[in-house]
PDB file of all heavy atoms in Angstrom:
ATOM      1  N   LYS A 331      -9.843   7.396   8.197  1.00  0.00           N
ATOM      2  CA  LYS A 331      -8.893   8.128   9.028  1.00  0.00           C
ATOM      3  C   LYS A 331      -9.317   8.043  10.483  1.00  0.00           C
ATOM      4  O   LYS A 331     -10.482   7.816  10.796  1.00  0.00           O
ATOM      5  CB  LYS A 331      -8.784   9.585   8.581  1.00  0.00           C
ATOM      6  CG  LYS A 331     -10.029  10.413   8.799  1.00  0.00           C
ATOM      7  CD  LYS A 331      -9.805  11.839   8.352  1.00  0.00           C
ATOM      8  CE  LYS A 331     -11.046  12.683   8.649  1.00  0.00           C
ATOM      9  NZ  LYS A 331     -10.811  14.076   8.337  1.00  0.00           N
ATOM     10  N   ARG A 332      -8.325   8.196  11.353  1.00  0.00           N
ATOM     11  CA  ARG A 332      -8.589   8.275  12.780  1.00  0.00           C
ATOM     12  C   ARG A 332      -7.626   9.297  13.367  1.00  0.00           C
ATOM     13  O   ARG A 332      -6.480   9.408  12.937  1.00  0.00           O
ATOM     14  CB  ARG A 332      -8.440   6.918  13.455  1.00  0.00           C
ATOM     15  CG  ARG A 332      -7.037   6.430  13.570  1.00  0.00           C
ATOM     16  CD  ARG A 332      -6.907   5.153  14.407  1.00  0.00           C
ATOM     17  NE  ARG A 332      -5.623   4.538  14.180  1.00  0.00           N
ATOM     18  CZ  ARG A 332      -4.468   4.962  14.683  1.00  0.00           C
ATOM     19  NH1 ARG A 332      -4.432   6.009  15.458  1.00  0.00           N
ATOM     20  NH2 ARG A 332      -3.341   4.329  14.404  1.00  0.00           N
ATOM     21  N   GLU A 333      -8.132  10.052  14.325  1.00  0.00           N
ATOM     22  CA  GLU A 333      -7.304  11.061  14.968  1.00  0.00           C
ATOM     23  C   GLU A 333      -6.707  10.499  16.235  1.00  0.00           C
ATOM     24  O   GLU A 333      -7.397   9.857  17.021  1.00  0.00           O
ATOM     25  CB  GLU A 333      -8.120  12.310  15.284  1.00  0.00           C
ATOM     26  CG  GLU A 333      -8.282  13.223  14.101  1.00  0.00           C
ATOM     27  CD  GLU A 333      -8.797  14.592  14.498  1.00  0.00           C
ATOM     28  OE1 GLU A 333      -8.260  15.192  15.455  1.00  0.00           O
ATOM     29  OE2 GLU A 333      -9.732  15.043  13.840  1.00  0.00           O
ATOM     30  N   GLU A 334      -5.427  10.770  16.402  1.00  0.00           N
ATOM     31  CA  GLU A 334      -4.746  10.404  17.630  1.00  0.00           C
ATOM     32  C   GLU A 334      -5.143  11.449  18.666  1.00  0.00           C
ATOM     33  O   GLU A 334      -5.030  12.642  18.416  1.00  0.00           O
ATOM     34  CB  GLU A 334      -3.236  10.423  17.379  1.00  0.00           C
ATOM     35  CG  GLU A 334      -2.402  10.009  18.551  1.00  0.00           C
ATOM     36  CD  GLU A 334      -0.929  10.112  18.208  1.00  0.00           C
ATOM     37  OE1 GLU A 334      -0.445  11.249  18.006  1.00  0.00           O
ATOM     38  OE2 GLU A 334      -0.275   9.072  18.139  1.00  0.00           O
ATOM     39  N   THR A 335      -5.631  11.012  19.797  1.00  0.00           N
ATOM     40  CA  THR A 335      -6.065  11.949  20.827  1.00  0.00           C
ATOM     41  C   THR A 335      -5.145  11.870  22.036  1.00  0.00           C
ATOM     42  O   THR A 335      -4.360  10.936  22.170  1.00  0.00           O
ATOM     43  CB  THR A 335      -7.511  11.655  21.260  1.00  0.00           C
ATOM     44  OG1 THR A 335      -7.590  10.293  21.692  1.00  0.00           O
ATOM     45  CG2 THR A 335      -8.483  11.873  20.115  1.00  0.00           C
ATOM     46  N   GLY A 336      -5.281  12.855  22.901  1.00  0.00           N
ATOM     47  CA  GLY A 336      -4.507  12.850  24.133  1.00  0.00           C
ATOM     48  C   GLY A 336      -3.062  13.272  23.960  1.00  0.00           C
ATOM     49  O   GLY A 336      -2.231  12.995  24.814  1.00  0.00           O
ATOM     50  N   VAL A 337      -2.754  13.927  22.878  1.00  0.00           N
ATOM     51  CA  VAL A 337      -1.395  14.432  22.656  1.00  0.00           C
ATOM     52  C   VAL A 337      -1.472  15.911  22.339  1.00  0.00           C
ATOM     53  O   VAL A 337      -2.521  16.434  21.957  1.00  0.00           O
ATOM     54  CB  VAL A 337      -0.680  13.675  21.508  1.00  0.00           C
ATOM     55  CG1 VAL A 337      -0.430  12.244  21.889  1.00  0.00           C
ATOM     56  CG2 VAL A 337      -1.462  13.754  20.228  1.00  0.00           C
ATOM     57  N   LYS A 338      -0.336  16.605  22.505  1.00  0.00           N
ATOM     58  CA  LYS A 338      -0.291  18.047  22.234  1.00  0.00           C
ATOM     59  C   LYS A 338      -0.717  18.379  20.809  1.00  0.00           C
ATOM     60  O   LYS A 338      -1.540  19.236  20.577  1.00  0.00           O
ATOM     61  CB  LYS A 338       1.119  18.590  22.466  1.00  0.00           C
ATOM     62  CG  LYS A 338       1.342  19.215  23.785  1.00  0.00           C
ATOM     63  CD  LYS A 338       2.711  19.865  23.818  1.00  0.00           C
ATOM     64  CE  LYS A 338       2.974  20.413  25.200  1.00  0.00           C
ATOM     65  NZ  LYS A 338       4.282  21.027  25.283  1.00  0.00           N
ATOM     66  N   LYS A 339      -0.094  17.705  19.870  1.00  0.00           N
ATOM     67  CA  LYS A 339      -0.375  17.960  18.456  1.00  0.00           C
ATOM     68  C   LYS A 339      -1.000  16.702  17.857  1.00  0.00           C
ATOM     69  O   LYS A 339      -0.287  15.773  17.473  1.00  0.00           O
ATOM     70  CB  LYS A 339       0.905  18.337  17.720  1.00  0.00           C
ATOM     71  CG  LYS A 339       0.665  18.833  16.319  1.00  0.00           C
ATOM     72  CD  LYS A 339       1.941  19.315  15.675  1.00  0.00           C
ATOM     73  CE  LYS A 339       1.630  19.798  14.278  1.00  0.00           C
ATOM     74  NZ  LYS A 339       2.835  20.118  13.548  1.00  0.00           N
ATOM     75  N   PRO A 340      -2.337  16.648  17.779  1.00  0.00           N
ATOM     76  CA  PRO A 340      -2.992  15.446  17.250  1.00  0.00           C
ATOM     77  C   PRO A 340      -2.579  15.164  15.804  1.00  0.00           C
ATOM     78  O   PRO A 340      -2.314  16.078  15.030  1.00  0.00           O
ATOM     79  CB  PRO A 340      -4.474  15.779  17.314  1.00  0.00           C
ATOM     80  CG  PRO A 340      -4.591  16.981  18.162  1.00  0.00           C
ATOM     81  CD  PRO A 340      -3.277  17.687  18.123  1.00  0.00           C
ATOM     82  N   LYS A 341      -2.523  13.889  15.484  1.00  0.00           N
ATOM     83  CA  LYS A 341      -2.197  13.455  14.126  1.00  0.00           C
ATOM     84  C   LYS A 341      -3.376  12.679  13.577  1.00  0.00           C
ATOM     85  O   LYS A 341      -4.057  11.968  14.311  1.00  0.00           O
ATOM     86  CB  LYS A 341      -0.958  12.562  14.114  1.00  0.00           C
ATOM     87  CG  LYS A 341       0.303  13.269  14.517  1.00  0.00           C
ATOM     88  CD  LYS A 341       1.465  12.305  14.553  1.00  0.00           C
ATOM     89  CE  LYS A 341       2.709  13.024  15.041  1.00  0.00           C
ATOM     90  NZ  LYS A 341       3.797  12.097  15.294  1.00  0.00           N
ATOM     91  N   VAL A 342      -3.591  12.802  12.282  1.00  0.00           N
ATOM     92  CA  VAL A 342      -4.625  12.034  11.604  1.00  0.00           C
ATOM     93  C   VAL A 342      -3.936  10.883  10.882  1.00  0.00           C
ATOM     94  O   VAL A 342      -3.085  11.111  10.026  1.00  0.00           O
ATOM     95  CB  VAL A 342      -5.417  12.901  10.604  1.00  0.00           C
ATOM     96  CG1 VAL A 342      -6.409  12.061   9.832  1.00  0.00           C
ATOM     97  CG2 VAL A 342      -6.119  14.042  11.330  1.00  0.00           C
ATOM     98  N   PHE A 343      -4.291   9.667  11.259  1.00  0.00           N
ATOM     99  CA  PHE A 343      -3.732   8.483  10.631  1.00  0.00           C
ATOM    100  C   PHE A 343      -4.701   7.966   9.571  1.00  0.00           C
ATOM    101  O   PHE A 343      -5.917   7.975   9.774  1.00  0.00           O
ATOM    102  CB  PHE A 343      -3.484   7.383  11.670  1.00  0.00           C
ATOM    103  CG  PHE A 343      -2.277   7.644  12.515  1.00  0.00           C
ATOM    104  CD1 PHE A 343      -2.375   8.429  13.648  1.00  0.00           C
ATOM    105  CD2 PHE A 343      -1.044   7.113  12.177  1.00  0.00           C
ATOM    106  CE1 PHE A 343      -1.263   8.686  14.436  1.00  0.00           C
ATOM    107  CE2 PHE A 343       0.074   7.355  12.952  1.00  0.00           C
ATOM    108  CZ  PHE A 343      -0.035   8.151  14.088  1.00  0.00           C
ATOM    109  N   TYR A 344      -4.148   7.519   8.460  1.00  0.00           N
ATOM    110  CA  TYR A 344      -4.944   6.985   7.358  1.00  0.00           C
ATOM    111  C   TYR A 344      -4.761   5.477   7.304  1.00  0.00           C
ATOM    112  O   TYR A 344      -3.676   4.955   7.572  1.00  0.00           O
ATOM    113  CB  TYR A 344      -4.530   7.638   6.040  1.00  0.00           C
ATOM    114  CG  TYR A 344      -4.797   9.123   6.054  1.00  0.00           C
ATOM    115  CD1 TYR A 344      -3.810  10.026   6.424  1.00  0.00           C
ATOM    116  CD2 TYR A 344      -6.058   9.619   5.747  1.00  0.00           C
ATOM    117  CE1 TYR A 344      -4.066  11.385   6.467  1.00  0.00           C
ATOM    118  CE2 TYR A 344      -6.321  10.978   5.794  1.00  0.00           C
ATOM    119  CZ  TYR A 344      -5.321  11.852   6.158  1.00  0.00           C
ATOM    120  OH  TYR A 344      -5.586  13.199   6.209  1.00  0.00           O
ATOM    121  N   HIS A 345      -5.843   4.795   6.952  1.00  0.00           N
ATOM    122  CA  HIS A 345      -5.888   3.333   6.947  1.00  0.00           C
ATOM    123  C   HIS A 345      -6.552   2.871   5.654  1.00  0.00           C
ATOM    124  O   HIS A 345      -7.583   3.412   5.257  1.00  0.00           O
ATOM    125  CB  HIS A 345      -6.701   2.862   8.160  1.00  0.00           C
ATOM    126  CG  HIS A 345      -6.982   1.405   8.165  1.00  0.00           C
ATOM    127  ND1 HIS A 345      -6.065   0.469   8.601  1.00  0.00           N
ATOM    128  CD2 HIS A 345      -8.090   0.710   7.797  1.00  0.00           C
ATOM    129  CE1 HIS A 345      -6.603  -0.731   8.495  1.00  0.00           C
ATOM    130  NE2 HIS A 345      -7.825  -0.628   8.004  1.00  0.00           N
ATOM    131  N   ILE A 346      -5.972   1.877   5.002  1.00  0.00           N
ATOM    132  CA  ILE A 346      -6.563   1.349   3.773  1.00  0.00           C
ATOM    133  C   ILE A 346      -7.739   0.433   4.125  1.00  0.00           C
ATOM    134  O   ILE A 346      -7.641  -0.388   5.039  1.00  0.00           O
ATOM    135  CB  ILE A 346      -5.516   0.621   2.894  1.00  0.00           C
ATOM    136  CG1 ILE A 346      -6.081   0.291   1.513  1.00  0.00           C
ATOM    137  CG2 ILE A 346      -4.975  -0.604   3.600  1.00  0.00           C
ATOM    138  CD1 ILE A 346      -5.031  -0.174   0.510  1.00  0.00           C
ATOM    139  N   GLU A 347      -8.839   0.601   3.426  1.00  0.00           N
ATOM    140  CA  GLU A 347     -10.044  -0.205   3.630  1.00  0.00           C
ATOM    141  C   GLU A 347     -10.078  -1.336   2.589  1.00  0.00           C
ATOM    142  O   GLU A 347      -9.344  -1.289   1.603  1.00  0.00           O
ATOM    143  CB  GLU A 347     -11.288   0.679   3.490  1.00  0.00           C
ATOM    144  CG  GLU A 347     -11.420   1.721   4.594  1.00  0.00           C
ATOM    145  CD  GLU A 347     -11.620   1.101   5.961  1.00  0.00           C
ATOM    146  OE1 GLU A 347     -12.199  -0.002   6.058  1.00  0.00           O
ATOM    147  OE2 GLU A 347     -11.188   1.728   6.952  1.00  0.00           O
ATOM    148  N   PRO A 348     -10.927  -2.345   2.797  1.00  0.00           N
ATOM    149  CA  PRO A 348     -11.006  -3.443   1.814  1.00  0.00           C
ATOM    150  C   PRO A 348     -11.269  -2.958   0.382  1.00  0.00           C
ATOM    151  O   PRO A 348     -10.675  -3.492  -0.564  1.00  0.00           O
ATOM    152  CB  PRO A 348     -12.161  -4.302   2.341  1.00  0.00           C
ATOM    153  CG  PRO A 348     -12.134  -4.089   3.814  1.00  0.00           C
ATOM    154  CD  PRO A 348     -11.750  -2.632   3.983  1.00  0.00           C
ATOM    155  N   SER A 349     -12.104  -1.945   0.220  1.00  0.00           N
ATOM    156  CA  SER A 349     -12.345  -1.424  -1.139  1.00  0.00           C
ATOM    157  C   SER A 349     -11.080  -0.794  -1.710  1.00  0.00           C
ATOM    158  O   SER A 349     -10.830  -0.848  -2.916  1.00  0.00           O
ATOM    159  CB  SER A 349     -13.494  -0.422  -1.153  1.00  0.00           C
ATOM    160  OG  SER A 349     -13.191   0.701  -0.340  1.00  0.00           O
ATOM    161  N   GLY A 350     -10.245  -0.207  -0.842  1.00  0.00           N
ATOM    162  CA  GLY A 350      -8.966   0.350  -1.272  1.00  0.00           C
ATOM    163  C   GLY A 350      -7.983  -0.735  -1.656  1.00  0.00           C
ATOM    164  O   GLY A 350      -7.204  -0.587  -2.601  1.00  0.00           O
TER     165      GLY A 350
END
Side-chain angles (χ1 to χ4, degrees):
K331 67 179 183 175
R332 72 173 164 76
E333 278 194 48
E334 182 182 67
T335 56
V337 293
K338 263 187 184 179
K339 190 175 180 187
K341 294 177 183 171
V342 175
F343 284 86
Y344 297 94
H345 172 81
I346 190 169
E347 293 296 330
S349 62

